[in-house]
Amino acid sequence: MSSTDRTPVETADLCIVGAGPAGALIADRLASEFEVVVLDAGPRFEDESRLQRQKRAIRPFFDRPAVWDSDPERDAHSASGEWFYPLNHTRVKGIGGSTLHWQGMVMRLHEDDFNSGSERGVGPDWPIEYEDLRPYYADAEREIGVSGAEDNPFAPPRENRFPMPAFRPSYSDSLFAEACEELEITMHSVPNARNSESYDDRSECVGYGTCQPVCPTGAKYDATVHIDRAESKGATIIDRAQVQRLEHTADEIRAAVYATPDGIEHRQTADAFVLACGGVETPRLLLLSESPEYPDGLANSSGLVGQYFMDHLFAGAGGVLDERTRQNHVGFFTSESHQFYDEADEEIGPFKLEFSNYAGPSPVELALTGDDWGDDLLERLRADYGNHIAVRGLVEQLPREDSYVGLDPDRTDNHGNPVPDVHWNVGDRALRTIERANEIQHDILEELGAEITWTAGPENTGPTYHHMGTTRMGTDPAESVVDPALQTHDLDNCWIASSSVFPTGGAFNPTLTIAALSLRAADTVEGFLAKQPSSKLAD
Amino acid sequence: MELTRRDAVAALTAVGGVATAGVGLSRLQSEGPSGDPEESLPPDQHVKESMVAIAEVVYPTEVSGIEPFVEEFLDSRLEREDHARGVRASVAELEDRAESWHGGPVTELSRETREQLLREVSAHTVDEHPTGTTAERMRYYVVNELLLALYASTKGGKLVGLENPQGHPGGTESYQQGPP
Ligand SMILES: Cc1cc2nc3c(=O)[nH]c(=O)nc-3n(C[C@H](O)[C@H](O)[C@H](O)COP(=O)(O)OP(=O)(O)OC[C@H]3O[C@@H](n4cnc5c(N)ncnc54)[C@H](O)[C@@H]3O)c2cc1C
Ligand code: SF4
């Protein structure tokens, strides 16, 4: 299909809404067997534009949402919670979704993360175990292309090797290693969704150092990889197709109604639908699709669509040493510590520590601000760059009733639909966990002899851009929105692939788990489609 | 430290100046002051000479080889229509001021006077903006354009102790190495 033909596919078996990793992986899995169409609200970005976007990432005029053309009207949002939520800094709309911008750290959740209620005494248990997801984690690592090593004594069991060797530790890791040895803190490698050698026809990492928000070479995985692959297998990808609502009966979705830039509304029918619009837009779309059968929102008999919004919280500390630390060469991490993760209980949540490779300012960014140039500027750059060091961390927050995604009736988007209201609140356990992480971070920095210059603690923490919890998975239809296979309890032909199904969040970046769950859901969707009389397979 | 044409080619990758003619870039919001594209803007050679003269002010004194570096860098940057218009218009404005305030083109002013001129247009006190005030555009298209070229190159990075600065594809070895 040409990129300007945005008309529906007449005989679609499967319609996927959202071309981020969740939607892209399922599209790729099923495209050779079935007629698959993917609708995405955002544009298809040309690869050739990436170097221009990199310039935006460096130049002070452009903010982060501008790097991937966030549109203030299309992406309008509210944040009525006690905690402001900067939604458009935390996502990208377009083919590839938020992985265009992401950092690309990809860990498996720990076994206890699946049983927070029974093992840690707080939050619900997941309806599945680590063992259920384990083969799909391995599958996801192969699909995404993960560089990693088996040197992490705290990681859950795995039988296969990572697809690529881990990136070697950085020079600053070696400084941390001495301090951590003294404190008996074990450091280990980081699984990265970026190529330590060429993989799947994609280049190895060349060290541009702007991974977040743009990797010009494609060495960092993004979901365009699977969209392109799905397309080559026959899937139809329609960009700039904002799904407005889902037409339905009491038991099934009939069509996704989408608007294209020419102002026309189209109806995409299909036998099955996968909603993969991320943890904010997925519940929003369901809420926007309310009807006499579903007065509180589609698939919302439980009343839980949009409820229990969670993110991970940032905990960090940094400072300066009286020696060179060699930061800002690359834009990713090579060492972490998961040593404290499984100490989690009712009082303190799981958290992980990350040893930064880009602490302190980037000289080129510094050079473009300030009121000096020539020798004065160089002197400033030399004074400000060179000795910074930082330990960062991610902390779990629990699901809470006062943290949710709703609709803001007073504000509408470019199509007149109420915008999402991310009403975000965080509880005391998360704040205590940040304090605990800060204590360890300070210990490490002090052991190193650093002068500590900043701390991101309970007072000034922020979100880490992972949208979870808003269409919770469970076995009881009164207590959850989707079942363990990610199918909605209410509808027979609708699946949700997203971190929105996570009952609890753990403290690891979510996307490997999103990918594993999506691949697992693809199996069920495949079984469902194979039984449909109209499917391409049955022809 | 001596800059070369080759350094400029490396710097270009940082600012997206390598030939990507047309395709895809139309999707990026267009930069540069709109207005009549036919209006008389200075030709390439003139722009290059003025930019070299400004680079001599904004680059530290310990770098040499500024002329070939800036010329090579601009060769590709001026191929990007939207951006080039912004650079040309800003250089034209700067030349205008040079003429009326100091009685001659930028290239004929002493280094001190060139610096004074930049300060008179307030290019040091504002934040860059591609469609903002004269000062903001001067900062965007002239001063920061030149600083970005230098400090996203490996030579510019080395001045600061970082041979693989952000925007430079310097591989995955240097981050592992200790200080020289
Ligand atoms: C700066 C940053 C750093 C990150 N770092 C990491 C990391 O290191 N590790 C990690 O695991 N995760 C990270 N993440 C999170 C990661 O990007 C997301 O978890 C992941 O992209 C989610 O995948 P998804 O497919 O569910 O949704 P998304 O990738 O967000 O894709 C959803 C797609 O749905 C489309 N869509 C939305 N609404 C509609 C609609 N109504 N109609 C049609 N299409 C619609 C959107 O346009 C979008 O393309 C990071 C995110 C950010 C922003
Ligand atoms: S450091 Fe590697 S992964 Fe990151 S932007 Fe550069 S090439 Fe891409």
Side-chain angles (χ1 to χ4, degrees), chain B residues 85-107:
Chain B
R85 205 176 322 127
V87 175
R88 281 182 220 281
S90 301
V91 166
E93 268 181 88
L94 196 64
E95 287 293 5
D96 235 29
R97 308 279 159 113
E99 200 67 58
S100 29
W101 295 345
H102 298 286
V106 170
T107 43

mmCIF file with all atom_site columns, all heavy atoms in Angstrom, chain B residues 85-107:
data_model
loop_
_atom_site.group_PDB
_atom_site.id
_atom_site.type_symbol
_atom_site.label_atom_id
_atom_site.label_alt_id
_atom_site.label_comp_id
_atom_site.label_asym_id
_atom_site.label_entity_id
_atom_site.label_seq_id
_atom_site.pdbx_PDB_ins_code
_atom_site.Cartn_x
_atom_site.Cartn_y
_atom_site.Cartn_z
_atom_site.occupancy
_atom_site.B_iso_or_equiv
_atom_site.pdbx_formal_charge
_atom_site.auth_seq_id
_atom_site.auth_comp_id
_atom_site.auth_asym_id
_atom_site.auth_atom_id
_atom_site.pdbx_PDB_model_num
ATOM 1   N N   . ARG B 1 85  ? 18.623 28.876 4.057  1.00 0.00 ? 85  ARG B N   1
ATOM 2   C CA  . ARG B 1 85  ? 17.994 30.185 3.996  1.00 0.00 ? 85  ARG B CA  1
ATOM 3   C C   . ARG B 1 85  ? 18.167 30.921 5.321  1.00 0.00 ? 85  ARG B C   1
ATOM 4   O O   . ARG B 1 85  ? 18.440 32.115 5.358  1.00 0.00 ? 85  ARG B O   1
ATOM 5   C CB  . ARG B 1 85  ? 16.514 30.039 3.642  1.00 0.00 ? 85  ARG B CB  1
ATOM 6   C CG  . ARG B 1 85  ? 15.965 31.277 2.980  1.00 0.00 ? 85  ARG B CG  1
ATOM 7   C CD  . ARG B 1 85  ? 14.514 31.117 2.533  1.00 0.00 ? 85  ARG B CD  1
ATOM 8   N NE  . ARG B 1 85  ? 14.216 29.804 2.016  1.00 0.00 ? 85  ARG B NE  1
ATOM 9   C CZ  . ARG B 1 85  ? 13.207 29.043 2.451  1.00 0.00 ? 85  ARG B CZ  1
ATOM 10  N NH1 . ARG B 1 85  ? 12.456 29.445 3.446  1.00 0.00 ? 85  ARG B NH1 1
ATOM 11  N NH2 . ARG B 1 85  ? 12.972 27.874 1.901  1.00 0.00 ? 85  ARG B NH2 1
ATOM 12  N N   . GLY B 1 86  ? 18.020 30.199 6.406  1.00 0.00 ? 86  GLY B N   1
ATOM 13  C CA  . GLY B 1 86  ? 18.198 30.809 7.720  1.00 0.00 ? 86  GLY B CA  1
ATOM 14  C C   . GLY B 1 86  ? 19.620 31.310 7.930  1.00 0.00 ? 86  GLY B C   1
ATOM 15  O O   . GLY B 1 86  ? 19.843 32.410 8.438  1.00 0.00 ? 86  GLY B O   1
ATOM 16  N N   . VAL B 1 87  ? 20.583 30.491 7.510  1.00 0.00 ? 87  VAL B N   1
ATOM 17  C CA  . VAL B 1 87  ? 21.987 30.881 7.675  1.00 0.00 ? 87  VAL B CA  1
ATOM 18  C C   . VAL B 1 87  ? 22.274 32.116 6.822  1.00 0.00 ? 87  VAL B C   1
ATOM 19  O O   . VAL B 1 87  ? 22.833 33.115 7.301  1.00 0.00 ? 87  VAL B O   1
ATOM 20  C CB  . VAL B 1 87  ? 22.942 29.723 7.273  1.00 0.00 ? 87  VAL B CB  1
ATOM 21  C CG1 . VAL B 1 87  ? 24.398 30.175 7.341  1.00 0.00 ? 87  VAL B CG1 1
ATOM 22  C CG2 . VAL B 1 87  ? 22.713 28.503 8.157  1.00 0.00 ? 87  VAL B CG2 1
ATOM 23  N N   . ARG B 1 88  ? 21.856 32.060 5.570  1.00 0.00 ? 88  ARG B N   1
ATOM 24  C CA  . ARG B 1 88  ? 22.111 33.195 4.665  1.00 0.00 ? 88  ARG B CA  1
ATOM 25  C C   . ARG B 1 88  ? 21.473 34.476 5.192  1.00 0.00 ? 88  ARG B C   1
ATOM 26  O O   . ARG B 1 88  ? 22.092 35.533 5.188  1.00 0.00 ? 88  ARG B O   1
ATOM 27  C CB  . ARG B 1 88  ? 21.512 32.910 3.295  1.00 0.00 ? 88  ARG B CB  1
ATOM 28  C CG  . ARG B 1 88  ? 22.332 31.993 2.440  1.00 0.00 ? 88  ARG B CG  1
ATOM 29  C CD  . ARG B 1 88  ? 21.632 31.847 1.079  1.00 0.00 ? 88  ARG B CD  1
ATOM 30  N NE  . ARG B 1 88  ? 21.707 30.482 0.598  1.00 0.00 ? 88  ARG B NE  1
ATOM 31  C CZ  . ARG B 1 88  ? 22.781 29.967 0.022  1.00 0.00 ? 88  ARG B CZ  1
ATOM 32  N NH1 . ARG B 1 88  ? 23.851 30.711 -0.147 1.00 0.00 ? 88  ARG B NH1 1
ATOM 33  N NH2 . ARG B 1 88  ? 22.803 28.711 -0.362 1.00 0.00 ? 88  ARG B NH2 1
ATOM 34  N N   . ALA B 1 89  ? 20.215 34.388 5.625  1.00 0.00 ? 89  ALA B N   1
ATOM 35  C CA  . ALA B 1 89  ? 19.504 35.587 6.087  1.00 0.00 ? 89  ALA B CA  1
ATOM 36  C C   . ALA B 1 89  ? 20.198 36.159 7.318  1.00 0.00 ? 89  ALA B C   1
ATOM 37  O O   . ALA B 1 89  ? 20.343 37.381 7.456  1.00 0.00 ? 89  ALA B O   1
ATOM 38  C CB  . ALA B 1 89  ? 18.054 35.242 6.397  1.00 0.00 ? 89  ALA B CB  1
ATOM 39  N N   . SER B 1 90  ? 20.669 35.276 8.209  1.00 0.00 ? 90  SER B N   1
ATOM 40  C CA  . SER B 1 90  ? 21.325 35.772 9.426  1.00 0.00 ? 90  SER B CA  1
ATOM 41  C C   . SER B 1 90  ? 22.660 36.432 9.090  1.00 0.00 ? 90  SER B C   1
ATOM 42  O O   . SER B 1 90  ? 23.009 37.466 9.660  1.00 0.00 ? 90  SER B O   1
ATOM 43  C CB  . SER B 1 90  ? 21.541 34.632 10.416 1.00 0.00 ? 90  SER B CB  1
ATOM 44  O OG  . SER B 1 90  ? 20.304 34.057 10.729 1.00 0.00 ? 90  SER B OG  1
ATOM 45  N N   . VAL B 1 91  ? 23.384 35.817 8.163  1.00 0.00 ? 91  VAL B N   1
ATOM 46  C CA  . VAL B 1 91  ? 24.659 36.422 7.758  1.00 0.00 ? 91  VAL B CA  1
ATOM 47  C C   . VAL B 1 91  ? 24.384 37.784 7.105  1.00 0.00 ? 91  VAL B C   1
ATOM 48  O O   . VAL B 1 91  ? 25.083 38.768 7.387  1.00 0.00 ? 91  VAL B O   1
ATOM 49  C CB  . VAL B 1 91  ? 25.437 35.475 6.800  1.00 0.00 ? 91  VAL B CB  1
ATOM 50  C CG1 . VAL B 1 91  ? 26.573 36.213 6.104  1.00 0.00 ? 91  VAL B CG1 1
ATOM 51  C CG2 . VAL B 1 91  ? 25.976 34.285 7.584  1.00 0.00 ? 91  VAL B CG2 1
ATOM 52  N N   . ALA B 1 92  ? 23.350 37.846 6.280  1.00 0.00 ? 92  ALA B N   1
ATOM 53  C CA  . ALA B 1 92  ? 23.031 39.119 5.626  1.00 0.00 ? 92  ALA B CA  1
ATOM 54  C C   . ALA B 1 92  ? 22.734 40.198 6.667  1.00 0.00 ? 92  ALA B C   1
ATOM 55  O O   . ALA B 1 92  ? 23.218 41.328 6.569  1.00 0.00 ? 92  ALA B O   1
ATOM 56  C CB  . ALA B 1 92  ? 21.841 38.938 4.696  1.00 0.00 ? 92  ALA B CB  1
ATOM 57  N N   . GLU B 1 93  ? 21.971 39.812 7.681  1.00 0.00 ? 93  GLU B N   1
ATOM 58  C CA  . GLU B 1 93  ? 21.639 40.791 8.726  1.00 0.00 ? 93  GLU B CA  1
ATOM 59  C C   . GLU B 1 93  ? 22.881 41.253 9.475  1.00 0.00 ? 93  GLU B C   1
ATOM 60  O O   . GLU B 1 93  ? 23.040 42.426 9.781  1.00 0.00 ? 93  GLU B O   1
ATOM 61  C CB  . GLU B 1 93  ? 20.669 40.160 9.726  1.00 0.00 ? 93  GLU B CB  1
ATOM 62  C CG  . GLU B 1 93  ? 19.215 40.397 9.375  1.00 0.00 ? 93  GLU B CG  1
ATOM 63  C CD  . GLU B 1 93  ? 18.296 39.782 10.402 1.00 0.00 ? 93  GLU B CD  1
ATOM 64  O OE1 . GLU B 1 93  ? 17.971 40.460 11.407 1.00 0.00 ? 93  GLU B OE1 1
ATOM 65  O OE2 . GLU B 1 93  ? 17.934 38.598 10.235 1.00 0.00 ? 93  GLU B OE2 1
ATOM 66  N N   . LEU B 1 94  ? 23.735 40.299 9.752  1.00 0.00 ? 94  LEU B N   1
ATOM 67  C CA  . LEU B 1 94  ? 24.958 40.633 10.480 1.00 0.00 ? 94  LEU B CA  1
ATOM 68  C C   . LEU B 1 94  ? 25.822 41.582 9.636  1.00 0.00 ? 94  LEU B C   1
ATOM 69  O O   . LEU B 1 94  ? 26.395 42.554 10.155 1.00 0.00 ? 94  LEU B O   1
ATOM 70  C CB  . LEU B 1 94  ? 25.726 39.340 10.809 1.00 0.00 ? 94  LEU B CB  1
ATOM 71  C CG  . LEU B 1 94  ? 26.807 39.467 11.865 1.00 0.00 ? 94  LEU B CG  1
ATOM 72  C CD1 . LEU B 1 94  ? 26.214 39.847 13.215 1.00 0.00 ? 94  LEU B CD1 1
ATOM 73  C CD2 . LEU B 1 94  ? 27.575 38.146 12.008 1.00 0.00 ? 94  LEU B CD2 1
ATOM 74  N N   . GLU B 1 95  ? 25.886 41.301 8.356  1.00 0.00 ? 95  GLU B N   1
ATOM 75  C CA  . GLU B 1 95  ? 26.667 42.157 7.455  1.00 0.00 ? 95  GLU B CA  1
ATOM 76  C C   . GLU B 1 95  ? 26.092 43.578 7.431  1.00 0.00 ? 95  GLU B C   1
ATOM 77  O O   . GLU B 1 95  ? 26.833 44.558 7.431  1.00 0.00 ? 95  GLU B O   1
ATOM 78  C CB  . GLU B 1 95  ? 26.667 41.576 6.034  1.00 0.00 ? 95  GLU B CB  1
ATOM 79  C CG  . GLU B 1 95  ? 27.532 40.334 5.873  1.00 0.00 ? 95  GLU B CG  1
ATOM 80  C CD  . GLU B 1 95  ? 29.026 40.615 6.042  1.00 0.00 ? 95  GLU B CD  1
ATOM 81  O OE1 . GLU B 1 95  ? 29.414 41.751 6.377  1.00 0.00 ? 95  GLU B OE1 1
ATOM 82  O OE2 . GLU B 1 95  ? 29.813 39.664 5.889  1.00 0.00 ? 95  GLU B OE2 1
ATOM 83  N N   . ASP B 1 96  ? 24.764 43.645 7.429  1.00 0.00 ? 96  ASP B N   1
ATOM 84  C CA  . ASP B 1 96  ? 24.078 44.933 7.459  1.00 0.00 ? 96  ASP B CA  1
ATOM 85  C C   . ASP B 1 96  ? 24.514 45.768 8.644  1.00 0.00 ? 96  ASP B C   1
ATOM 86  O O   . ASP B 1 96  ? 24.858 46.933 8.533  1.00 0.00 ? 96  ASP B O   1
ATOM 87  C CB  . ASP B 1 96  ? 22.579 44.635 7.621  1.00 0.00 ? 96  ASP B CB  1
ATOM 88  C CG  . ASP B 1 96  ? 21.784 45.277 6.539  1.00 0.00 ? 96  ASP B CG  1
ATOM 89  O OD1 . ASP B 1 96  ? 22.342 45.444 5.436  1.00 0.00 ? 96  ASP B OD1 1
ATOM 90  O OD2 . ASP B 1 96  ? 20.605 45.616 6.819  1.00 0.00 ? 96  ASP B OD2 1
ATOM 91  N N   . ARG B 1 97  ? 24.492 45.089 9.807  1.00 0.00 ? 97  ARG B N   1
ATOM 92  C CA  . ARG B 1 97  ? 24.895 45.793 11.048 1.00 0.00 ? 97  ARG B CA  1
ATOM 93  C C   . ARG B 1 97  ? 26.362 46.194 10.984 1.00 0.00 ? 97  ARG B C   1
ATOM 94  O O   . ARG B 1 97  ? 26.736 47.274 11.405 1.00 0.00 ? 97  ARG B O   1
ATOM 95  C CB  . ARG B 1 97  ? 24.702 44.907 12.279 1.00 0.00 ? 97  ARG B CB  1
ATOM 96  C CG  . ARG B 1 97  ? 23.330 44.296 12.418 1.00 0.00 ? 97  ARG B CG  1
ATOM 97  C CD  . ARG B 1 97  ? 22.348 45.281 13.022 1.00 0.00 ? 97  ARG B CD  1
ATOM 98  N NE  . ARG B 1 97  ? 20.994 44.866 12.692 1.00 0.00 ? 97  ARG B NE  1
ATOM 99  C CZ  . ARG B 1 97  ? 20.097 44.438 13.561 1.00 0.00 ? 97  ARG B CZ  1
ATOM 100 N NH1 . ARG B 1 97  ? 20.389 44.431 14.835 1.00 0.00 ? 97  ARG B NH1 1
ATOM 101 N NH2 . ARG B 1 97  ? 18.908 44.073 13.179 1.00 0.00 ? 97  ARG B NH2 1
ATOM 102 N N   . ALA B 1 98  ? 27.179 45.289 10.465 1.00 0.00 ? 98  ALA B N   1
ATOM 103 C CA  . ALA B 1 98  ? 28.623 45.568 10.393 1.00 0.00 ? 98  ALA B CA  1
ATOM 104 C C   . ALA B 1 98  ? 28.853 46.836 9.571  1.00 0.00 ? 98  ALA B C   1
ATOM 105 O O   . ALA B 1 98  ? 29.613 47.728 9.956  1.00 0.00 ? 98  ALA B O   1
ATOM 106 C CB  . ALA B 1 98  ? 29.363 44.386 9.783  1.00 0.00 ? 98  ALA B CB  1
ATOM 107 N N   . GLU B 1 99  ? 28.128 46.874 8.470  1.00 0.00 ? 99  GLU B N   1
ATOM 108 C CA  . GLU B 1 99  ? 28.275 48.019 7.556  1.00 0.00 ? 99  GLU B CA  1
ATOM 109 C C   . GLU B 1 99  ? 27.823 49.303 8.255  1.00 0.00 ? 99  GLU B C   1
ATOM 110 O O   . GLU B 1 99  ? 28.553 50.293 8.280  1.00 0.00 ? 99  GLU B O   1
ATOM 111 C CB  . GLU B 1 99  ? 27.427 47.733 6.306  1.00 0.00 ? 99  GLU B CB  1
ATOM 112 C CG  . GLU B 1 99  ? 27.789 48.513 5.060  1.00 0.00 ? 99  GLU B CG  1
ATOM 113 C CD  . GLU B 1 99  ? 29.177 48.127 4.517  1.00 0.00 ? 99  GLU B CD  1
ATOM 114 O OE1 . GLU B 1 99  ? 29.414 46.938 4.198  1.00 0.00 ? 99  GLU B OE1 1
ATOM 115 O OE2 . GLU B 1 99  ? 30.010 49.048 4.443  1.00 0.00 ? 99  GLU B OE2 1
ATOM 116 N N   . SER B 1 100 ? 26.618 49.266 8.871  1.00 0.00 ? 100 SER B N   1
ATOM 117 C CA  . SER B 1 100 ? 26.133 50.535 9.431  1.00 0.00 ? 100 SER B CA  1
ATOM 118 C C   . SER B 1 100 ? 26.814 50.915 10.738 1.00 0.00 ? 100 SER B C   1
ATOM 119 O O   . SER B 1 100 ? 26.988 52.096 11.011 1.00 0.00 ? 100 SER B O   1
ATOM 120 C CB  . SER B 1 100 ? 24.603 50.556 9.584  1.00 0.00 ? 100 SER B CB  1
ATOM 121 O OG  . SER B 1 100 ? 24.085 49.291 9.788  1.00 0.00 ? 100 SER B OG  1
ATOM 122 N N   . TRP B 1 101 ? 27.223 49.962 11.531 1.00 0.00 ? 101 TRP B N   1
ATOM 123 C CA  . TRP B 1 101 ? 27.813 50.333 12.826 1.00 0.00 ? 101 TRP B CA  1
ATOM 124 C C   . TRP B 1 101 ? 29.331 50.465 12.780 1.00 0.00 ? 101 TRP B C   1
ATOM 125 O O   . TRP B 1 101 ? 29.930 51.189 13.542 1.00 0.00 ? 101 TRP B O   1
ATOM 126 C CB  . TRP B 1 101 ? 27.431 49.301 13.910 1.00 0.00 ? 101 TRP B CB  1
ATOM 127 C CG  . TRP B 1 101 ? 25.955 49.263 14.200 1.00 0.00 ? 101 TRP B CG  1
ATOM 128 C CD1 . TRP B 1 101 ? 25.026 50.190 13.850 1.00 0.00 ? 101 TRP B CD1 1
ATOM 129 C CD2 . TRP B 1 101 ? 25.247 48.232 14.899 1.00 0.00 ? 101 TRP B CD2 1
ATOM 130 N NE1 . TRP B 1 101 ? 23.776 49.809 14.270 1.00 0.00 ? 101 TRP B NE1 1
ATOM 131 C CE2 . TRP B 1 101 ? 23.873 48.614 14.929 1.00 0.00 ? 101 TRP B CE2 1
ATOM 132 C CE3 . TRP B 1 101 ? 25.617 47.036 15.509 1.00 0.00 ? 101 TRP B CE3 1
ATOM 133 C CZ2 . TRP B 1 101 ? 22.882 47.840 15.541 1.00 0.00 ? 101 TRP B CZ2 1
ATOM 134 C CZ3 . TRP B 1 101 ? 24.643 46.273 16.118 1.00 0.00 ? 101 TRP B CZ3 1
ATOM 135 C CH2 . TRP B 1 101 ? 23.288 46.662 16.133 1.00 0.00 ? 101 TRP B CH2 1
ATOM 136 N N   . HIS B 1 102 ? 29.943 49.671 11.884 1.00 0.00 ? 102 HIS B N   1
ATOM 137 C CA  . HIS B 1 102 ? 31.408 49.675 11.900 1.00 0.00 ? 102 HIS B CA  1
ATOM 138 C C   . HIS B 1 102 ? 32.019 50.003 10.545 1.00 0.00 ? 102 HIS B C   1
ATOM 139 O O   . HIS B 1 102 ? 33.221 49.906 10.346 1.00 0.00 ? 102 HIS B O   1
ATOM 140 C CB  . HIS B 1 102 ? 31.939 48.334 12.413 1.00 0.00 ? 102 HIS B CB  1
ATOM 141 C CG  . HIS B 1 102 ? 31.499 48.053 13.823 1.00 0.00 ? 102 HIS B CG  1
ATOM 142 N ND1 . HIS B 1 102 ? 32.033 48.695 14.912 1.00 0.00 ? 102 HIS B ND1 1
ATOM 143 C CD2 . HIS B 1 102 ? 30.523 47.255 14.301 1.00 0.00 ? 102 HIS B CD2 1
ATOM 144 C CE1 . HIS B 1 102 ? 31.423 48.273 16.010 1.00 0.00 ? 102 HIS B CE1 1
ATOM 145 N NE2 . HIS B 1 102 ? 30.478 47.399 15.662 1.00 0.00 ? 102 HIS B NE2 1
ATOM 146 N N   . GLY B 1 103 ? 31.162 50.335 9.585  1.00 0.00 ? 103 GLY B N   1
ATOM 147 C CA  . GLY B 1 103 ? 31.630 50.874 8.311  1.00 0.00 ? 103 GLY B CA  1
ATOM 148 C C   . GLY B 1 103 ? 32.318 49.889 7.385  1.00 0.00 ? 103 GLY B C   1
ATOM 149 O O   . GLY B 1 103 ? 33.121 50.289 6.543  1.00 0.00 ? 103 GLY B O   1
ATOM 150 N N   . GLY B 1 104 ? 32.038 48.593 7.521  1.00 0.00 ? 104 GLY B N   1
ATOM 151 C CA  . GLY B 1 104 ? 32.662 47.647 6.576  1.00 0.00 ? 104 GLY B CA  1
ATOM 152 C C   . GLY B 1 104 ? 32.142 46.243 6.787  1.00 0.00 ? 104 GLY B C   1
ATOM 153 O O   . GLY B 1 104 ? 31.456 45.981 7.776  1.00 0.00 ? 104 GLY B O   1
ATOM 154 N N   . PRO B 1 105 ? 32.412 45.325 5.850  1.00 0.00 ? 105 PRO B N   1
ATOM 155 C CA  . PRO B 1 105 ? 31.952 43.943 5.990  1.00 0.00 ? 105 PRO B CA  1
ATOM 156 C C   . PRO B 1 105 ? 32.652 43.218 7.150  1.00 0.00 ? 105 PRO B C   1
ATOM 157 O O   . PRO B 1 105 ? 33.770 43.609 7.537  1.00 0.00 ? 105 PRO B O   1
ATOM 158 C CB  . PRO B 1 105 ? 32.309 43.294 4.652  1.00 0.00 ? 105 PRO B CB  1
ATOM 159 C CG  . PRO B 1 105 ? 33.379 44.146 4.072  1.00 0.00 ? 105 PRO B CG  1
ATOM 160 C CD  . PRO B 1 105 ? 33.183 45.529 4.605  1.00 0.00 ? 105 PRO B CD  1
ATOM 161 N N   . VAL B 1 106 ? 31.999 42.200 7.650  1.00 0.00 ? 106 VAL B N   1
ATOM 162 C CA  . VAL B 1 106 ? 32.515 41.440 8.790  1.00 0.00 ? 106 VAL B CA  1
ATOM 163 C C   . VAL B 1 106 ? 33.958 41.003 8.571  1.00 0.00 ? 106 VAL B C   1
ATOM 164 O O   . VAL B 1 106 ? 34.811 41.108 9.455  1.00 0.00 ? 106 VAL B O   1
ATOM 165 C CB  . VAL B 1 106 ? 31.622 40.187 9.040  1.00 0.00 ? 106 VAL B CB  1
ATOM 166 C CG1 . VAL B 1 106 ? 32.262 39.252 10.044 1.00 0.00 ? 106 VAL B CG1 1
ATOM 167 C CG2 . VAL B 1 106 ? 30.240 40.608 9.517  1.00 0.00 ? 106 VAL B CG2 1
ATOM 168 N N   . THR B 1 107 ? 34.227 40.530 7.365  1.00 0.00 ? 107 THR B N   1
ATOM 169 C CA  . THR B 1 107 ? 35.569 39.990 7.077  1.00 0.00 ? 107 THR B CA  1
ATOM 170 C C   . THR B 1 107 ? 36.656 41.052 7.173  1.00 0.00 ? 107 THR B C   1
ATOM 171 O O   . THR B 1 107 ? 37.829 40.733 7.303  1.00 0.00 ? 107 THR B O   1
ATOM 172 C CB  . THR B 1 107 ? 35.602 39.401 5.655  1.00 0.00 ? 107 THR B CB  1
ATOM 173 O OG1 . THR B 1 107 ? 34.916 40.290 4.789  1.00 0.00 ? 107 THR B OG1 1
ATOM 174 C CG2 . THR B 1 107 ? 34.960 38.019 5.614  1.00 0.00 ? 107 THR B CG2 1
#
